[in-house]
Amino acid sequence: TKRNESLDAKNLLKSSIQSEDSTLISILSKVITLMTAGYDMSIAFPEMINIFERNNIVIKKMLYKFVAF
């Protein structure tokens, strides 16, 4: 269900906040894909805010896309 997909993505994101940039980019890509497919990803907002302190420009762009959507 949509709720389970959202929770799975949130838990995956929460567990990978301290991981490498490449891993985090793939997880953010999944979250944005689910979001554009109509899933409610507002549940992942607190985890997304914790990632804002990264210095990787690709991650920053993906975070801005999440917030702006």
Side-chain angles (χ1 to χ4, degrees), residues 32 35-36 45 48-49 52 60-69:
I32 290 173
M35 187 175 62
T36 55
F45 186 77
M48 293 295 219
I49 296 302
F52 261 105
K60 292 234 184 237
K61 286 181 180 181
M62 294 177 92
L63 292 171
Y64 287 127
K65 182 179 271 192
F66 174 84
V67 171
F69 195 90

Side-chain angles (χ1 to χ4, degrees), residues 4 7-9 33 38 47 57 61 66:
N4 289 340
L7 285 174
D8 289 343
T33 301
E47 284 75 22
I57 191 70
K61 286 181 180 181
F66 174 84

Side-chain angles (χ1 to χ4, degrees), residues 13-49:
L13 187 62
K14 189 175 187 177
S15 67
S16 66
I17 288 176
Q18 299 299 327
S19 64
E20 294 181 15
D21 287 350
S22 60
T23 305
L24 191 56
I25 288 171
S26 66
I27 294 169
L28 288 172
S29 178
K30 180 179 179 177
V31 169
I32 290 173
T33 301
L34 289 171
M35 187 175 62
T36 55
Y39 290 80
D40 180 18
M41 295 307 298
S42 63
I43 194 169
F45 186 77
E47 284 75 22
M48 293 295 219
I49 296 302

